[in-house]
Amino acid sequence: MTFTQLEIFVRVAELKGFTSAASRLSITQSAVSHAIKALEAELGVELINRHQSTLELTAVGERLVLRARSILGLAETMRQEAGDARGMKRGTLRIGSFGPTSSVKLLPLILDAYRQAYPGIEVHIDEGRDREVVQWLQDRRIDVGFVVLPDERFDTFPIAEDQMVALVPIHHALASKADVTLKELCPDPFIMTEAGSAHLVAHMFNAAKLVPNTRYHSTQLLSTLAMVERGDGVTILAELALPAERGKVGYVKKPLRPRVKRSVGLALLDERQASPATQAFIKIALKLKRQGLLRFTADL
């Protein structure tokens, strides 16, 4: 068993294909196939079910791919710790990011400072929904991820705070109010966004013992905003997720009463096993937070 075989196995599992894994690793498809067959022969089990149109891991393959990611992660940490003594000139950092909050507002600032400090570190960014980032952390697919806090499953570091706000069409009856309550939003068709913090919105209504009139589920922020502008319904979003207002828009942003804060932070599976590249990324993010550079909203 070699690190190369394990890396190929992990890439095939993530990309669900021999061809795509070969392209990502810049090797031939036959080399990928040979590595998987050799690994299966050594372990004495079938890791991948090969179908004509799809590829999926076997039950034992699902378990062993987690082990493979862990082994590769520890190996990368060892390489980086050795490299750290030489100024951390090389290494890899895998980041998970969700929605505009982290991908547009937070990550670019942190990444800019990180690249200046460590130009030799290769950075990979996976973008998805907030719950996908959590799953990637648990699967060891990424080293560090942006998450909505609190989350006791991980070691976490708060870096930004904003508030949840209601969005209503510009001519809606609630548009003239200074703030709105959850109860006032319940009669209207509600647009539940899946772009981020959906579980927080659901928790807010549950805690208030209210049930929104959910008519729509949207996975894209821009689609959600367009639906509110058309008058299809109302919604609740995190303020950091909203795009910068340029010109006239067809919706109005209203604070909730009472205010509902949201905290966003960086999370990793185990701080004790974090690579130097991961530790440096977190350190830079926390420094920017202390300097007040990760603030985008008024005081709550």
Side-chain angles (χ1 to χ4, degrees):
M1 185 187 309
T2 66
F3 286 124
T4 299
Q5 290 173 336
L6 294 178
E7 184 177 11
I8 290 173
F9 173 44
V10 168
R11 293 295 171 262
V12 169
E14 289 177 354
L15 301 174
K16 299 187 182 302
F18 282 49
T19 302
S20 51
S23 177
R24 174 70 66 84
L25 296 168
S26 300
I27 59 178
T28 64
Q29 184 174 337
S30 61
V32 171
S33 180
H34 177 75
I36 296 298
K37 288 180 179 178
L39 185 58
E40 289 177 325
E42 181 173 350
L43 295 174
V45 294
E46 188 177 60
L47 300 172
I48 296 172
N49 286 323
R50 299 162 178 81
H51 304 290
Q52 187 172 3
S53 57
T54 60
L55 181 151
E56 60 183 20
L57 296 179
T58 62
V60 68
E62 291 279 4
R63 296 196 301 271
L64 293 184
V65 74
L66 298 179
R67 301 292 188 188
R69 288 193 183 110
S70 180
I71 292 170
L72 291 172
L74 289 174
E76 177 63 22
T77 297
M78 290 177 63
R79 283 192 290 267
Q80 289 189 17
E81 286 180 350
D84 196 24
R86 305 189 303 270
M88 207 165 73
K89 296 181 179 179
R90 292 190 300 173
T92 302
L93 176 65
R94 302 167 299 170
I95 304 170
S97 181
F98 71 90
T101 294
S102 55
S103 297
V104 177
K105 301 288 180 65
L106 300 175
L107 181 58
L109 291 173
I110 303 171
L111 204 55
D112 183 58
Y114 188 78
R115 284 171 172 163
Q116 291 184 37
Y118 306 103
I121 300 297
E122 183 178 331
V123 178
H124 298 265
I125 301 170
D126 284 330
E127 295 181 274
R129 304 177 192 176
D130 50 345
R131 61 175 176 266
E132 288 179 314
V133 174
V134 167
Q135 189 63 53
W136 295 339
L137 281 165
Q138 293 174 323
D139 292 345
R140 298 181 183 272
R141 176 174 167 177
I142 57 177
D143 302 308
V144 61
F146 289 88
V147 299
V148 177
L149 301 178
D151 197 321
E152 296 182 356
R153 293 169 291 185
F154 309 108
D155 292 330
T156 58
F157 304 85
I159 60 171
E161 189 175 81
D162 65 346
Q163 64 179 340
M164 304 302 291
V165 294
L167 295 187
V168 301
I170 194 168
H171 298 299
H172 194 279
L174 296 175
S176 60
K177 294 177 67 69
D179 49 28
V180 300
T181 65
L182 294 178
K183 187 175 182 179
E184 289 174 318
L185 295 172
C186 284
D188 284 273
F190 193 83
I191 306 164
M192 183 66 75
T193 178
E194 304 292 341
S197 299
H199 68 286
L200 179 55
V201 174
H203 175 75
M204 289 162 49
F205 280 105
N206 289 336
K209 297 182 179 179
L210 296 171
V211 179
N213 182 21
T214 303
R215 296 280 187 86
Y216 307 97
H217 291 267
S218 175
T219 60
Q220 298 296 325
L221 175 66
L222 293 180
S223 298
T224 301
L225 297 179
M227 293 171 73
V228 176
E229 285 190 304
R230 290 197 304 267
D232 294 338
V234 299
T235 193
I236 295 176
L237 294 171
E239 195 167 16
L240 267 179
L242 297 176
E245 294 184 5
R246 297 184 177 89
K248 188 176 180 180
V249 295
Y251 60 82
V252 178
K253 176 181 70 176
K254 295 295 176 181
L256 295 174
R257 187 175 76 249
R259 299 290 196 268
V260 179
K261 296 180 181 180
R262 184 190 69 154
S263 180
V264 177
L266 292 171
L268 62 166
L269 203 55
D270 188 344
E271 183 183 1
R272 297 168 300 179
Q273 297 183 10
S275 69
T278 303
Q279 294 173 1
F281 183 80
I282 293 172
K283 183 177 180 180
I284 286 175
L286 294 176
K287 180 179 179 181
L288 293 176
K289 175 190 175 184
R290 290 193 300 270
Q291 293 174 341
L293 298 178
L294 298 181
R295 293 185 62 87
F296 299 90
T297 58
D299 291 337
L300 301 178

mmCIF file of all heavy atoms in Angstrom, residues 61-85:
data_model
loop_
_atom_site.group_PDB
_atom_site.id
_atom_site.type_symbol
_atom_site.label_atom_id
_atom_site.label_comp_id
_atom_site.label_asym_id
_atom_site.label_seq_id
_atom_site.Cartn_x
_atom_site.Cartn_y
_atom_site.Cartn_z
ATOM 1 N N GLY A 61 -15.632 0.147 1.248
ATOM 2 C CA GLY A 61 -14.963 1.276 0.606
ATOM 3 C C GLY A 61 -15.327 2.604 1.259
ATOM 4 O O GLY A 61 -14.484 3.482 1.424
ATOM 5 N N GLU A 62 -16.616 2.740 1.659
ATOM 6 C CA GLU A 62 -17.065 3.952 2.347
ATOM 7 C C GLU A 62 -16.315 4.149 3.654
ATOM 8 O O GLU A 62 -15.961 5.274 4.033
ATOM 9 C CB GLU A 62 -18.575 3.876 2.629
ATOM 10 C CG GLU A 62 -19.450 3.949 1.385
ATOM 11 C CD GLU A 62 -19.646 5.368 0.899
ATOM 12 O OE1 GLU A 62 -19.035 6.286 1.479
ATOM 13 O OE2 GLU A 62 -20.401 5.563 -0.074
ATOM 14 N N ARG A 63 -16.065 3.053 4.363
ATOM 15 C CA ARG A 63 -15.355 3.156 5.642
ATOM 16 C C ARG A 63 -13.869 3.429 5.424
ATOM 17 O O ARG A 63 -13.264 4.254 6.115
ATOM 18 C CB ARG A 63 -15.534 1.872 6.452
ATOM 19 C CG ARG A 63 -16.974 1.595 6.876
ATOM 20 C CD ARG A 63 -17.035 0.546 7.972
ATOM 21 N NE ARG A 63 -16.449 -0.713 7.564
ATOM 22 C CZ ARG A 63 -17.103 -1.694 6.966
ATOM 23 N NH1 ARG A 63 -18.403 -1.536 6.681
ATOM 24 N NH2 ARG A 63 -16.512 -2.819 6.631
ATOM 25 N N LEU A 64 -13.289 2.731 4.448
ATOM 26 C CA LEU A 64 -11.845 2.846 4.263
ATOM 27 C C LEU A 64 -11.426 4.173 3.633
ATOM 28 O O LEU A 64 -10.289 4.612 3.808
ATOM 29 C CB LEU A 64 -11.328 1.675 3.425
ATOM 30 C CG LEU A 64 -11.415 0.297 4.098
ATOM 31 C CD1 LEU A 64 -10.782 -0.772 3.228
ATOM 32 C CD2 LEU A 64 -10.733 0.327 5.463
ATOM 33 N N VAL A 65 -12.335 4.823 2.889
ATOM 34 C CA VAL A 65 -11.955 6.109 2.302
ATOM 35 C C VAL A 65 -11.763 7.149 3.401
ATOM 36 O O VAL A 65 -10.925 8.065 3.280
ATOM 37 C CB VAL A 65 -13.009 6.586 1.269
ATOM 38 C CG1 VAL A 65 -14.276 7.098 1.935
ATOM 39 C CG2 VAL A 65 -12.409 7.674 0.368
ATOM 40 N N LEU A 66 -12.491 7.016 4.512
ATOM 41 C CA LEU A 66 -12.287 7.921 5.647
ATOM 42 C C LEU A 66 -10.911 7.688 6.255
ATOM 43 O O LEU A 66 -10.207 8.636 6.637
ATOM 44 C CB LEU A 66 -13.372 7.704 6.699
ATOM 45 C CG LEU A 66 -14.810 7.978 6.259
ATOM 46 C CD1 LEU A 66 -15.775 7.696 7.409
ATOM 47 C CD2 LEU A 66 -14.970 9.410 5.784
ATOM 48 N N ARG A 67 -10.515 6.401 6.359
ATOM 49 C CA ARG A 67 -9.181 6.081 6.867
ATOM 50 C C ARG A 67 -8.103 6.624 5.936
ATOM 51 O O ARG A 67 -7.074 7.140 6.386
ATOM 52 C CB ARG A 67 -9.031 4.563 7.001
ATOM 53 C CG ARG A 67 -10.028 3.896 7.924
ATOM 54 C CD ARG A 67 -9.788 4.288 9.352
ATOM 55 N NE ARG A 67 -10.611 3.503 10.264
ATOM 56 C CZ ARG A 67 -10.726 3.740 11.565
ATOM 57 N NH1 ARG A 67 -10.078 4.758 12.106
ATOM 58 N NH2 ARG A 67 -11.510 2.988 12.319
ATOM 59 N N ALA A 68 -8.347 6.492 4.643
ATOM 60 C CA ALA A 68 -7.367 6.965 3.665
ATOM 61 C C ALA A 68 -7.173 8.472 3.771
ATOM 62 O O ALA A 68 -6.048 8.975 3.730
ATOM 63 C CB ALA A 68 -7.806 6.577 2.255
ATOM 64 N N ARG A 69 -8.291 9.206 3.914
ATOM 65 C CA ARG A 69 -8.183 10.664 4.060
ATOM 66 C C ARG A 69 -7.422 11.023 5.329
ATOM 67 O O ARG A 69 -6.622 11.964 5.339
ATOM 68 C CB ARG A 69 -9.584 11.282 4.105
ATOM 69 C CG ARG A 69 -10.322 11.282 2.772
ATOM 70 C CD ARG A 69 -11.537 12.188 2.849
ATOM 71 N NE ARG A 69 -12.312 12.164 1.609
ATOM 72 C CZ ARG A 69 -13.506 11.613 1.477
ATOM 73 N NH1 ARG A 69 -14.068 11.001 2.516
ATOM 74 N NH2 ARG A 69 -14.149 11.639 0.327
ATOM 75 N N SER A 70 -7.670 10.269 6.393
ATOM 76 C CA SER A 70 -6.973 10.532 7.655
ATOM 77 C C SER A 70 -5.478 10.291 7.512
ATOM 78 O O SER A 70 -4.660 11.094 7.969
ATOM 79 C CB SER A 70 -7.555 9.643 8.755
ATOM 80 O OG SER A 70 -6.901 9.869 9.980
ATOM 81 N N ILE A 71 -5.113 9.187 6.857
ATOM 82 C CA ILE A 71 -3.695 8.862 6.652
ATOM 83 C C ILE A 71 -3.019 9.934 5.804
ATOM 84 O O ILE A 71 -1.923 10.416 6.128
ATOM 85 C CB ILE A 71 -3.548 7.477 6.000
ATOM 86 C CG1 ILE A 71 -3.987 6.390 6.986
ATOM 87 C CG2 ILE A 71 -2.111 7.238 5.544
ATOM 88 C CD1 ILE A 71 -4.114 5.012 6.353
ATOM 89 N N LEU A 72 -3.675 10.323 4.723
ATOM 90 C CA LEU A 72 -3.099 11.339 3.843
ATOM 91 C C LEU A 72 -2.993 12.686 4.562
ATOM 92 O O LEU A 72 -2.031 13.431 4.361
ATOM 93 C CB LEU A 72 -3.953 11.481 2.578
ATOM 94 C CG LEU A 72 -3.931 10.290 1.625
ATOM 95 C CD1 LEU A 72 -4.963 10.476 0.517
ATOM 96 C CD2 LEU A 72 -2.553 10.099 1.019
ATOM 97 N N GLY A 73 -3.993 12.992 5.408
ATOM 98 C CA GLY A 73 -3.948 14.239 6.158
ATOM 99 C C GLY A 73 -2.785 14.278 7.135
ATOM 100 O O GLY A 73 -2.091 15.289 7.253
ATOM 101 N N LEU A 74 -2.563 13.169 7.828
ATOM 102 C CA LEU A 74 -1.447 13.101 8.770
ATOM 103 C C LEU A 74 -0.109 13.169 8.039
ATOM 104 O O LEU A 74 0.840 13.804 8.514
ATOM 105 C CB LEU A 74 -1.535 11.811 9.590
ATOM 106 C CG LEU A 74 -2.669 11.758 10.619
ATOM 107 C CD1 LEU A 74 -2.748 10.382 11.250
ATOM 108 C CD2 LEU A 74 -2.475 12.826 11.696
ATOM 109 N N ALA A 75 -0.039 12.522 6.876
ATOM 110 C CA ALA A 75 1.192 12.573 6.091
ATOM 111 C C ALA A 75 1.480 14.003 5.639
ATOM 112 O O ALA A 75 2.627 14.467 5.677
ATOM 113 C CB ALA A 75 1.087 11.640 4.884
ATOM 114 N N GLU A 76 0.412 14.717 5.218
ATOM 115 C CA GLU A 76 0.586 16.107 4.793
ATOM 116 C C GLU A 76 1.013 16.973 5.973
ATOM 117 O O GLU A 76 1.848 17.868 5.831
ATOM 118 C CB GLU A 76 -0.715 16.632 4.186
ATOM 119 C CG GLU A 76 -0.677 18.097 3.777
ATOM 120 C CD GLU A 76 0.331 18.397 2.687
ATOM 121 O OE1 GLU A 76 0.729 17.475 1.946
ATOM 122 O OE2 GLU A 76 0.727 19.571 2.581
ATOM 123 N N THR A 77 0.460 16.699 7.143
ATOM 124 C CA THR A 77 0.860 17.446 8.334
ATOM 125 C C THR A 77 2.338 17.233 8.645
ATOM 126 O O THR A 77 3.055 18.179 8.981
ATOM 127 C CB THR A 77 0.009 17.011 9.542
ATOM 128 O OG1 THR A 77 -1.363 17.335 9.279
ATOM 129 C CG2 THR A 77 0.457 17.725 10.808
ATOM 130 N N MET A 78 2.795 15.985 8.514
ATOM 131 C CA MET A 78 4.213 15.701 8.746
ATOM 132 C C MET A 78 5.085 16.464 7.762
ATOM 133 O O MET A 78 6.103 17.049 8.137
ATOM 134 C CB MET A 78 4.463 14.194 8.632
ATOM 135 C CG MET A 78 3.870 13.373 9.759
ATOM 136 S SD MET A 78 4.130 11.589 9.523
ATOM 137 C CE MET A 78 5.922 11.508 9.589
ATOM 138 N N ARG A 79 4.680 16.455 6.485
ATOM 139 C CA ARG A 79 5.469 17.164 5.464
ATOM 140 C C ARG A 79 5.505 18.660 5.778
ATOM 141 O O ARG A 79 6.535 19.318 5.636
ATOM 142 C CB ARG A 79 4.876 16.916 4.074
ATOM 143 C CG ARG A 79 5.203 15.549 3.495
ATOM 144 C CD ARG A 79 4.852 15.480 2.017
ATOM 145 N NE ARG A 79 3.412 15.488 1.814
ATOM 146 C CZ ARG A 79 2.665 14.405 1.706
ATOM 147 N NH1 ARG A 79 3.233 13.201 1.792
ATOM 148 N NH2 ARG A 79 1.360 14.480 1.513
ATOM 149 N N GLN A 80 4.342 19.194 6.195
ATOM 150 C CA GLN A 80 4.288 20.627 6.461
ATOM 151 C C GLN A 80 5.055 21.002 7.720
ATOM 152 O O GLN A 80 5.647 22.083 7.790
ATOM 153 C CB GLN A 80 2.831 21.070 6.564
ATOM 154 C CG GLN A 80 2.107 21.049 5.220
ATOM 155 C CD GLN A 80 0.739 21.693 5.311
ATOM 156 O OE1 GLN A 80 0.438 22.414 6.256
ATOM 157 N NE2 GLN A 80 -0.102 21.423 4.316
ATOM 158 N N GLU A 81 5.014 20.141 8.718
ATOM 159 C CA GLU A 81 5.780 20.436 9.929
ATOM 160 C C GLU A 81 7.273 20.431 9.635
ATOM 161 O O GLU A 81 8.029 21.245 10.181
ATOM 162 C CB GLU A 81 5.443 19.420 11.016
ATOM 163 C CG GLU A 81 4.063 19.661 11.626
ATOM 164 C CD GLU A 81 3.731 18.662 12.710
ATOM 165 O OE1 GLU A 81 4.484 17.675 12.868
ATOM 166 O OE2 GLU A 81 2.714 18.853 13.393
ATOM 167 N N ALA A 82 7.705 19.521 8.759
ATOM 168 C CA ALA A 82 9.105 19.533 8.335
ATOM 169 C C ALA A 82 9.389 20.789 7.517
ATOM 170 O O ALA A 82 10.423 21.440 7.680
ATOM 171 C CB ALA A 82 9.419 18.282 7.523
ATOM 172 N N GLY A 83 8.416 21.146 6.655
ATOM 173 C CA GLY A 83 8.586 22.339 5.839
ATOM 174 C C GLY A 83 8.514 23.614 6.647
ATOM 175 O O GLY A 83 9.105 24.639 6.278
ATOM 176 N N ASP A 84 7.779 23.559 7.778
ATOM 177 C CA ASP A 84 7.659 24.731 8.629
ATOM 178 C C ASP A 84 9.018 25.182 9.149
ATOM 179 O O ASP A 84 9.269 26.375 9.349
ATOM 180 C CB ASP A 84 6.725 24.409 9.804
ATOM 181 C CG ASP A 84 6.248 25.670 10.502
ATOM 182 O OD1 ASP A 84 6.251 26.732 9.857
ATOM 183 O OD2 ASP A 84 5.881 25.581 11.677
ATOM 184 N N ALA A 85 9.890 24.199 9.370
ATOM 185 C CA ALA A 85 11.246 24.524 9.829
ATOM 186 C C ALA A 85 12.032 25.240 8.738
ATOM 187 O O ALA A 85 13.012 25.912 9.012
ATOM 188 C CB ALA A 85 11.970 23.249 10.253
#
